[in-house]
Amino acid sequence: MITIKKPVGKIISSISEKLGVSYEEVEKKLTGSFLPVEKNLYVESSKCIRCNLCFEECPVSAIKKPSVKNPAEIIPENCVKCEICAKTCPVSAINVLEGKAELKGDTVIYELNEVPVAHRKIRLKEHCIDMDSCIKCGICEKFCPTDAITVERKNSIDINLNLCMGCTACEKVCPKKSIKVENEMGKIDFKKSIFLDNEKCVDCMVCSEICPVSAITYENGKMVVSKPVCIFCGKCEKNCPVTAISIENVMEK
């Protein structure tokens, strides 16, 4: 955990200047005991293996596709904080941080914590390499996270399938498209549940319109949540005007 303390006055002045509103107006917004909890995701570039799995699995196009030269990158304005990318990354290169700001007297105390992520399972099904087109350049070896590939440049390549995890990094970085990998992706364990109270619901359709994966629809005179489709991003819960939707953490037995 990282703790940062800053004088309220300096923060208010900075916000006031950047937003072009009065100091007093900003101060009114900070009169509560607690400020909202904020979640952020970031890619640890030195760990990224260019497997593209985060890019492929992101449901809202919030990942910039990686290349041999550049790691994956999160697009903040698109991200809905569903954590699917972090749960999918086979090498834990995507971190989830949660910050909470608390107002105490004339000081804002900001706490930053790393959120534990339950990773989905990835299993190799088949690994094929076309020896005729392979140029033994060694790029696949560079990005293999389990050292399953050994290359003697321009001479030979060896794949140890007992070490291969099926991440597809070698396939994605191969300049000659000589490698094909078939894997099996496990289900994502969100450890959350969603509940829509139709007694409270006023059928305003806000949740349906704002859901990034169309998991909420109007059927037979009421709003319905498709739980298998839901990514638990919380946008519906935050924007429901009558608090008819709740998302809760599921306790492990």
Side-chain angles (χ1 to χ4, degrees):
M1 181 179 72
I2 299 173
T3 302
I4 302 170
K5 296 182 180 181
K6 285 191 176 182
V8 174
K10 287 187 177 181
I11 294 175
I12 293 175
S13 296
S14 178
I15 295 174
S16 174
E17 183 179 340
K18 288 181 179 180
L19 296 183
V21 297
S22 69
Y23 182 98
E24 291 73 21
E25 189 175 345
V26 177
E27 188 176 27
K28 287 180 182 179
K29 299 290 185 181
L30 299 176
T31 54
S33 299
F34 291 90
L35 282 72
V37 172
E38 182 183 2
K39 183 192 294 183
N40 287 292
L41 288 82
Y42 75 96
V43 178
E44 198 169 338
S45 57
S46 61
K47 286 186 176 181
C48 178
I49 57 173
R50 281 59 164 181
C51 64
N52 287 16
L53 293 180
C54 59
F55 171 78
E56 294 167 354
E57 294 294 310
C58 178
V60 293
S61 302
I63 305 284
K64 189 178 291 185
K65 188 177 182 179
S67 66
V68 172
K69 291 184 178 180
N70 299 302
E73 186 180 339
I74 292 173
I75 305 170
E77 57 268 28
N78 292 356
C79 182
V80 294
K81 319 292 175 66
C82 66
E83 302 181 21
I84 288 176
C85 58
K87 294 175 185 292
T88 300
C89 180
V91 292
S92 302
I94 302 178
N95 298 295
V96 182
L97 296 176
E98 197 168 71
K100 182 181 72 174
E102 182 181 0
L103 187 61
K104 285 189 176 181
D106 60 352
T107 303
V108 171
I109 301 174
Y110 191 77
E111 293 182 353
L112 197 62
N113 294 285
E114 187 169 347
V115 179
V117 174
H119 289 84
R120 68 199 298 187
K121 293 181 179 179
I122 302 173
R123 184 176 68 86
L124 173 69
K125 291 184 71 176
E126 188 173 3
H127 192 293
C128 299
I129 180 166
D130 181 357
M131 289 297 185
D132 292 330
S133 61
C134 175
I135 58 175
K136 286 81 175 178
C137 62
I139 295 177
C140 56
E141 179 184 31
K142 177 182 176 181
F143 288 101
C144 178
T146 58
D147 297 324
I149 303 175
T150 303
V151 177
E152 185 179 337
R153 290 199 65 187
K154 298 184 179 180
N155 186 35
S156 66
I157 181 171
D158 179 67
I159 312 291
N160 186 339
L161 296 182
N162 291 323
L163 295 177
C164 179
M165 65 189 298
C167 67
T168 75
C170 56
E171 175 185 328
K172 301 298 170 46
V173 300
C174 179
K176 293 296 183 178
K177 307 301 179 187
S178 301
I179 301 175
K180 298 296 179 185
V181 180
E182 185 180 354
N183 62 18
E184 188 173 75
M185 304 281 287
K187 292 183 178 180
I188 297 175
D189 186 2
F190 285 102
K191 290 184 167 48
K192 292 182 179 180
S193 64
I194 184 169
F195 176 72
L196 195 160
D197 188 342
N198 288 107
E199 294 296 322
K200 286 185 178 180
C201 180
V202 293
D203 299 335
C204 65
M205 307 291 286
V206 168
C207 57
S208 179
E209 292 170 0
I210 205 168
C211 178
V213 292
S214 303
I216 307 178
T217 54
Y218 188 72
E219 299 177 16
N220 300 320
K222 65 178 182 180
M223 302 306 298
V224 177
V225 178
S226 174
K227 294 181 180 179
V229 177
C230 178
I231 59 174
F232 303 96
C233 64
K235 288 176 72 72
C236 57
E237 180 184 32
K238 291 174 185 175
N239 289 277
C240 178
V242 292
T243 63
I245 300 177
S246 60
I247 295 177
E248 299 177 355
N249 293 326
V250 175
M251 299 297 292
E252 292 189 33
K253 296 182 180 180

